Each structure stands twice: as C-alpha cells, then as structure tokens.
Amino acid sequence: MTLRRIQLPDRRAVHSWASLARARRFQAWGPNTEEQTHAFVANAVEAWSHSPQQRFAYAACVEGDVVGLGELHVRSQGQRQGEISYAVHPRVRGQGVGTATKPS
C-alpha cells in the first residue's frame, strides 16, 4: 500500500465506498451523494494550497487503485490538537489498509 496526496480524479474511487452505508457505519457522514463526494475531494485537494496548511488528505492505493484515504486535520495550532481520520473500501477491510494510513 502507498499513500499519496488526494487528487480530483480520485473522486470516483472515493465515491465507490462513500456511497455505501456499510462503509460509513462508524462515521458521522454519508452515505454520500456524488455531489457530496465531489465537494469533499475538491475541498481536500484545495486544502493542500492553504498556508498555514491545516488539512492533509492522502489517498491509500493498492496496486494503483485508490481503496481508502487518511487525513490529518489540525484543529488548533496553539493547543497542538488535531484529528486523524481514515476510511477504506469494504472490499479491503481486514487487510491492514486502515492501519497503514494512521501515523505510528
């Protein structure tokens, strides 16, 4: 598995699981419409250009396919607080993709 910055073309792959109720079972969002997924990916891509950067979204890829994502969202620079989140396609659950997207 490799991680790389999320890109706009990733929205189709992200939507393939973001639209599934079972994929977001433990999440506060979704299932997403195509428009919601597109907005999420577009905002995540755009966040890479902010300064100071507070959102770092990565696509998790297995053999070139985007099968998940991981994100660090800095909530407070002063308090040194952040949030780590990840999501994976149900077809790769149990294969270590989610674990690999989190910092050790």
Side-chain angles (χ1 to χ4, degrees):
M1 194 213 60
T2 59
L3 292 175
R4 63 162 171 74
R5 287 184 184 187
I6 196 166
Q7 302 169 355
L8 283 176
D10 296 335
R11 70 180 180 269
R12 285 191 179 94
V14 172
H15 191 66
S16 74
W17 75 82
S19 62
L20 302 174
R22 70 182 187 272
R24 47 86 33 216
R25 188 169 119 198
F26 301 109
Q27 306 293 336
W29 52 266
N32 284 4
T33 64
E34 285 189 47
E35 293 78 22
Q36 289 169 319
T37 300
H38 178 76
F40 170 82
V41 172
N43 289 335
V45 168
E46 194 235 342
W48 283 97
S49 65
H50 292 185
S51 182
Q53 188 174 349
Q54 294 188 287
R55 186 175 179 195
F56 304 80
Y58 292 90
C61 304
V62 173
E63 297 179 4
D65 293 328
V66 177
V67 296
L69 59 89
E71 181 174 344
L72 169 64
H73 193 150
V74 178
R75 296 294 181 182
S76 170
Q77 293 261 335
Q79 297 295 318
R80 299 177 54 106
Q81 294 176 339
E83 178 180 281
I84 297 170
S85 60
Y86 66 96
V88 297
H89 197 294
R91 70 180 163 84
V92 297
R93 282 200 182 140
Q95 298 178 28
V97 174
T99 301
T101 63
K102 298 183 289 185
S104 52

